[in-house]
Amino acid sequence: MDLGPYILLATLEGAVTAAVLALTAVGLSLVFGVMRVVNIAHGEFFMLGAVIAWYVANGLSGHPATGFFAALIIAPLLVGVLAMAVDMTILKRLNYDPERTIVATIGLLYILQQGALMTYGPEARPVEAPFNTRIALPWPEWGETGLSFYYPWGLSTTSYKLAVIAAAALVLLGVWGMMTRTKLGLVMRATQADREMALAFGIPVERVYAMVFGIGAGLAALAAVLIVPIQQAHYLMGADPLLLSFIVVIIGGLGSLPGTVVAAIIIGLSDGIISVFFSPTLAKILATLLVGLVLVFRPQGLFGTRAA
Amino acid sequence: MTLLSTRGLSKSFDGLQAVTDVSFEVAKGDIHALIGPNGAGKTTLVGMICGRVAPSAGQVIFDGQDITDLPAHRRIMLGMAYTFQITSIFRGLDVAENVALAARRRHPAPRVAEAVAKALRQVGLAPYSDETAGNLSYGHQRLLEIAMGLVQQPRLLILDEPTQGLSEGEIAGFKTLVRDLKSETTLLLIEHNMSVVMETADRVSVLNAGAILAEGTPAEIRANAAVQAAYLGTSDA
Amino acid sequence: MSASRVLVLHLGLLAGLFALQFVLPAYHHGNLARIMVLAAYAVGYNILFGYTGLLSLGHALFFAAGMYGMALMIQHGGASPAPALLAGVLAGAVVSGLLALLALRTTGVAFMIVTLMFAQAGYLTILYFAEWTRGDEGFVIQQAQRVLWGIDLSQPTARYFAAWALFSLVFLISLWLVRRPFGRTLIAIRENEERVRMLGYDTFAHKLGAMVISGTISAGAGAAYGLLFGYAGASFASVQYSIFPLLWVLLGGAGTVLGPFVGTLFMFYLIDLSSGITSAYMLIAGVVLVLLTLFAPQGLVGELRKRIFRGLP
């Protein structure tokens, strides 16, 4: 394949990564923005989503679509409820102290990850996509007869991948709508702006926190269900989404949702394109250094403003 | 002789002018009070003097030396001491260790214990030296703050609202303490309580809306119409 | 607690550990040697976290800097153990100094994430240069290369003694340090940094010093671990090895001299016992972390100090 079609392919793959990453990172960003909690176990909620999706899809007989769509609802719900329970039993009792909650969520990371190892096991298992038509893509060519199109070998995507991008966009629109148009969103923004004031106005801050932590984890789980027909479910799969979400949230400006989405798209797309030129390990080294340096020299994020 | 002076000191936060073009002088050996209504910019001004806030413009001169660009800890080493408006002690450490931390910067190691004991006696906290600082009463914590300033044998002791939250009896004790200190050091007193200012200060500077409104002896300030309008008439004092 | 009783208690621990080698069965003898080296790592971590109040999530970078600084010198530089150990310790000092210059510009949560990210970059760098480091697989340091001043460190007795000597050294350093004005200033920084600054201390320089001392001790432990047990691998640079010292110190008691050893001892045996039952032994680490943050943030020795031995350093 020539470089041109190859980059188009990498861009398409990158768009899928970006879509899933945006969902995961918005979950992390929401939790940090409203609760000021850095959830190190966020990647494990992602992993749980994928694992539960496998259980659901495997437990239901019939067309693969039945299992998948059931998982799409059940996995985020279960993970969301679990996260709310974690918030109420652990985080609340720590008074959301930033450093202690980080230590506690590190503990939670190991509990969830190792719990999955004990029950689900060390294997990687796939979930079948509900539909998966291969779509070949044309590429323009200047020939003797002028502009023409041909179908380079290997330049293709699937209907499922396009659906993932669309679904993620839809959910993100939903989150945005929730934050700006609903009472819950208003309450969340009020709590984010000033916790004490929100308490004084009678906003049930504790319940808001539980909801936010549940929604944040649910978004990660949803992202995982979407990706699990492409990747496989594995108990260690939470590490990469956690790292990437961190990168996105920090570069996009801590707690800023639009910044997070923009950063997710940039990181997701560039991840696909960079991996064409660099080894994945080198790309990760550069990414982690970038996050560290951004936090040191530009803590408001690359797109944020200081007073935010 | 002037110990501390500022020249055209200004500070703006995000376009908001907190302190504008303040020039004033503190004479060596004086008790100099800085007063002004809430939001007048006292804390910002003092923050610039002791190095906690970087000025937007102007200079701070201490004992003839321009210290505008020195970091806070270097200014302290030149002989400034600062006590916090909101009690800021080491709550988890014992009283003697609180003062010793302040003393170690100033005294050679063998003299630290002696200096600590003296400072605690001066403020009347000697009986509590082994107590955990966080367990002291609020008034005693304020005194501990002052002891931490005293033990440094500063040439300029900056007391930021030292009587805030003290009882009448404690305030009376504080006035005596301040008068006693006059022989040892120069004091810059940021104070809300007018009786403390009137009874102890040699000179008073009045800050209003970020600028110096008036300056003079306590009697002159009391008689100043502009000050009365801006401050005395509207304050709770 | 009086100064002399404190000294007796701490020296008593070292004497007891020295005596134990004559009575312990081989299995626990080997374990305790390992525990003492890891506890030395925890002692280093405690200086930054327990005494200065800076929670690093990146100490594996220093541990690995020591381990690889030592191991690469032996493997590719043909060095003998003594200069190799020195190289490891120096590597840790340099790496911790550089990271400190960057990370200390941040505080709180940002400091945690910055240290985490740079340590992760270090881990990935070890993987990236797999040609030299053998990546995840790591490499064995041959017995012949582990003879220090005529002592074969692969022999259990020599190894135990070397581990004891290392632990005693860093343990006494930490006991001495926290009673010196420098150490007391670190404690004050942990309690109230702004106040320390306004007493005329250069808090940045103190934190820098604490981080370099902490990183250098951690690197010394890493170098010793590689030399005594004859292996260097990338897993020692992974996040898990940054979490471990945090876990040990939290369990034993942050900001106590005894805590790091007590925490390492308990956690080592807890994981050792549970790994006999399940492969998911890190579950125990997770549960202990959560329970500690919830119910005993002071750790074992910290609770003891609060209840019984007031004045324990």
Side-chain angles (χ1 to χ4, degrees):
Chain A
M1 211 180 339
D2 294 332
L3 189 61
Y6 198 69
I7 286 184
L8 175 64
L9 185 66
T11 309
L12 272 171
E13 295 296 313
V16 177
T17 310
V20 174
L21 180 55
L23 281 183
T24 317
V26 161
L28 188 70
S29 176
L30 205 59
V31 168
F32 182 81
V34 177
M35 306 167 67
R36 298 280 131 183
V37 164
V38 177
N39 178 18
I40 304 279
H42 195 65
E44 306 313 308
F45 288 133
F46 181 93
M47 177 274 293
L48 273 188
V51 166
I52 293 173
W54 181 84
Y55 276 117
V56 171
N58 239 43
L60 291 177
S61 51
H63 193 269
T66 326
F68 177 81
F69 286 113
L72 208 50
I73 294 167
I74 294 173
L77 265 182
L78 278 182
V79 171
V81 169
L82 174 73
M84 288 171 79
V86 165
D87 173 79
M88 289 188 287
T89 52
I90 301 175
L91 302 185
K92 193 175 102 182
R93 300 182 62 143
L94 297 176
N95 278 325
Y96 303 97
D97 174 86
E99 295 199 350
R100 288 174 70 198
T101 47
I102 289 196
V103 177
T105 57
I106 291 172
L108 185 64
L109 177 155
Y110 284 120
I111 293 174
L112 296 179
Q113 182 197 79
Q114 302 287 307
L117 172 62
M118 288 171 81
T119 50
Y120 173 81
E123 300 84 11
R125 301 191 182 101
V127 167
E128 203 176 323
F131 45 84
N132 212 2
T133 324
R134 183 176 168 277
I135 303 171
L137 296 170
W139 187 256
E141 187 181 42
W142 290 100
E144 286 141 17
T145 56
L147 184 66
S148 64
F149 286 90
Y150 75 111
Y151 290 89
W153 186 85
L155 179 58
S156 68
T157 186
T158 65
S159 56
Y160 181 72
K161 286 181 179 171
L162 296 179
V164 167
I165 299 171
L170 218 63
V171 173
L172 287 173
L173 272 177
V175 172
W176 184 73
M178 177 190 77
M179 288 303 282
T180 52
R181 301 286 159 84
T182 66
K183 181 145 177 286
L184 178 65
L186 179 73
V187 165
M188 278 158 65
R189 280 183 293 137
T191 311
Q192 171 164 9
D194 190 336
R195 180 173 192 262
E196 301 308 315
M197 196 62 95
L199 268 172
F201 274 102
I203 291 175
V205 169
E206 284 186 356
R207 253 186 293 160
V208 174
Y209 277 15
M211 283 296 290
V212 168
F213 204 65
I215 292 173
L219 282 171
L222 182 66
V225 180
L226 288 175
I227 203 69
V228 81
I230 302 171
Q231 273 172 16
Q232 300 185 331
H234 184 253
Y235 82 104
L236 288 176
M237 74 190 297
D240 277 356
L242 177 69
L243 176 66
L244 283 171
S245 300
F246 258 103
I247 297 173
V248 163
V249 169
I250 286 164
I251 287 178
L254 289 166
S256 144
L257 289 188
T260 303
V261 173
V262 172
I265 293 170
I266 293 174
I267 301 279
L269 286 179
S270 55
D271 188 55
I273 295 166
I274 285 172
S275 63
V276 176
F277 300 104
F278 292 110
S279 84
T281 309
L282 187 58
K284 267 195 210 165
I285 293 176
L286 296 176
T288 44
L289 287 179
L290 177 69
V291 174
L293 292 172
V294 165
L295 267 177
V296 170
F297 294 106
R298 224 186 126 74
Q300 70 274 35
L302 290 182
F303 308 116
T305 50
R306 190 165 273 283
Chain B
M1 212 204 125
T2 304
L3 180 63
L4 172 83
S5 61
T6 68
R7 298 217 208 300
L9 213 50
S10 302
K11 178 69 188 179
S12 58
F13 296 101
D14 297 326
L16 206 78
Q17 198 75 23
V19 171
T20 315
D21 197 21
V22 167
S23 303
F24 84 115
E25 296 190 343
V26 176
K28 193 172 270 178
D30 265 3
I31 297 177
H32 194 121
L34 182 66
I35 65 171
N38 278 330
K42 289 171 297 190
T43 300
T44 307
L45 176 59
V46 173
M48 288 189 282
I49 290 172
C50 65
R52 302 180 75 200
V53 179
S56 313
Q59 292 167 301
V60 183
I61 292 131
F62 183 67
D63 205 15
Q65 184 187 349
D66 185 341
I67 59 166
T68 316
D69 295 324
L70 286 189
H73 65 93
R74 298 272 304 279
R75 300 185 193 202
I76 304 295
M77 291 312 287
L78 288 177
M80 279 190 185
Y82 174 77
T83 70
F84 284 62
Q85 177 182 1
I86 296 160
T87 308
S88 180
I89 54 174
F90 305 103
R91 307 183 60 84
L93 308 180
D94 63 41
V95 168
E97 175 67 8
N98 267 269
V99 184
L101 277 161
R104 285 194 202 108
R105 288 307 272 169
R106 185 68 53 186
H107 303 275
R111 301 273 306 282
V112 167
E114 186 191 323
V116 169
K118 182 179 169 231
L120 285 176
R121 264 200 314 277
Q122 253 179 312
V123 300
L125 284 181
Y128 303 98
S129 71
D130 290 333
E131 192 71 50
T132 304
N135 295 344
L136 292 181
S137 72
Y138 179 76
H140 282 163
Q141 291 186 9
R142 301 294 302 171
L143 289 175
L144 177 56
E145 274 271 356
I146 294 170
M148 289 163 75
L150 278 182
V151 79
Q152 301 174 52
Q153 297 183 339
R155 288 191 289 164
L156 175 66
L157 177 58
I158 303 172
L159 300 174
D160 198 348
E161 309 225 352
T163 62
Q164 189 178 297
L166 293 190
S167 69
E168 283 302 318
E170 288 168 329
I171 289 176
F174 175 77
K175 288 177 194 163
T176 320
L177 177 64
V178 166
R179 282 191 215 103
D180 289 348
L181 290 178
K182 190 173 154 58
S183 58
E184 295 180 24
T185 182
T186 307
L187 278 108
L188 177 58
L189 187 64
I190 295 89
E191 189 46 86
H192 229 82
N193 185 312
M194 291 313 290
S195 82
V196 173
V197 173
M198 292 303 159
E199 289 173 37
T200 61
D202 298 303
R203 288 194 73 76
V204 182
S205 298
V206 185
L207 202 63
N208 188 37
I212 296 280
L213 178 71
E215 207 174 289
T217 64
E220 287 165 1
I221 293 299
R222 203 196 293 271
N224 187 310
V227 175
Q228 283 176 7
Y231 182 63
L232 297 178
T234 58
S235 111
D236 52 357
Chain C
M1 220 173 172
S2 72
S4 58
R5 281 186 63 193
V6 165
L7 204 62
V8 167
L9 179 68
H10 288 78
L11 291 180
L13 172 72
L14 295 182
L17 284 173
F18 184 80
L20 267 178
Q21 62 173 314
F22 303 111
V23 292
L24 280 182
Y27 177 68
H28 295 287
H29 185 271
N31 277 353
L32 200 55
R34 219 173 268 267
I35 288 168
M36 285 189 289
V37 179
L38 294 175
Y41 179 22
V43 168
Y45 186 82
N46 190 35
I47 287 174
L48 192 65
F49 170 58
Y51 286 107
T52 320
L54 290 167
L55 203 164
S56 149
L57 290 178
H59 260 52
L61 182 64
F62 311 144
F63 190 77
M67 178 179 274
Y68 277 95
M70 179 279 301
L72 292 177
M73 278 293 280
I74 288 183
Q75 193 80 350
H76 299 287
S80 58
L85 275 176
L86 190 65
V89 172
L90 281 179
V94 170
V95 170
S96 57
L98 289 177
L99 181 57
L101 288 177
L102 286 170
L104 288 176
R105 296 170 59 109
T106 64
T107 53
V109 169
F111 180 82
M112 298 164 77
I113 307 292
V114 168
T115 49
L116 178 69
M117 288 299 158
F118 280 99
Q120 190 65 13
Y123 167 66
L124 293 165
T125 306
I126 291 172
L127 293 186
Y128 187 71
F129 291 103
E131 206 177 309
W132 292 78
T133 63
R134 306 294 308 278
D136 259 336
E137 195 185 314
F139 57 87
V140 169
I141 302 164
Q142 299 303 329
Q143 186 184 342
Q145 295 167 313
R146 290 159 60 196
V147 181
L148 179 65
W149 299 316
I151 304 164
D152 182 355
L153 293 176
S154 65
Q155 290 308 307
T157 308
R159 182 158 69 191
Y160 188 98
F161 188 76
W164 178 83
L166 171 79
F167 175 70
S168 300
L169 177 68
V170 302
F171 183 78
L172 291 174
I173 288 177
S174 112
L175 183 61
W176 174 77
L177 188 73
V178 301
R179 297 160 79 84
R180 299 280 310 149
F182 179 79
R184 291 182 169 219
T185 308
L186 295 185
I187 295 173
I189 287 176
R190 176 189 76 195
E191 296 287 313
N192 187 345
E193 180 174 349
E194 179 62 5
R195 191 65 180 106
V196 176
R197 200 163 70 90
M198 295 313 290
L199 290 177
Y201 292 93
D202 184 344
T203 52
F204 184 87
H206 276 79
K207 292 194 289 182
L208 180 69
M211 196 153 166
V212 171
I213 293 171
S214 171
T216 307
I217 292 178
S218 303
Y225 198 93
L227 194 63
L228 293 183
F229 302 102
Y231 170 77
S235 62
F236 291 106
S238 66
V239 184
Q240 194 164 321
Y241 267 82
S242 291
I243 306 295
F244 273 141
L246 169 66
L247 181 62
W248 297 328
V249 168
L250 273 176
L251 177 60
T256 66
V257 174
L258 290 169
F261 175 76
V262 173
T264 312
L265 180 73
F266 271 78
M267 206 60 222
F268 187 92
Y269 272 102
L270 213 53
I271 287 184
D272 187 57
L273 292 176
S274 55
S275 63
I277 305 164
T278 166
S279 58
Y281 58 86
M282 279 302 287
L283 181 71
I284 304 291
V287 172
V288 171
L289 267 181
V290 171
L291 291 181
L292 276 173
T293 37
L294 277 179
F295 301 111
Q298 313 252 16
L300 296 171
V301 179
E303 295 292 331
L304 267 182
R305 171 164 67 186
K306 205 167 78 183
R307 285 157 216 269
I308 308 167
F309 302 118
R310 212 170 156 256
L312 202 66

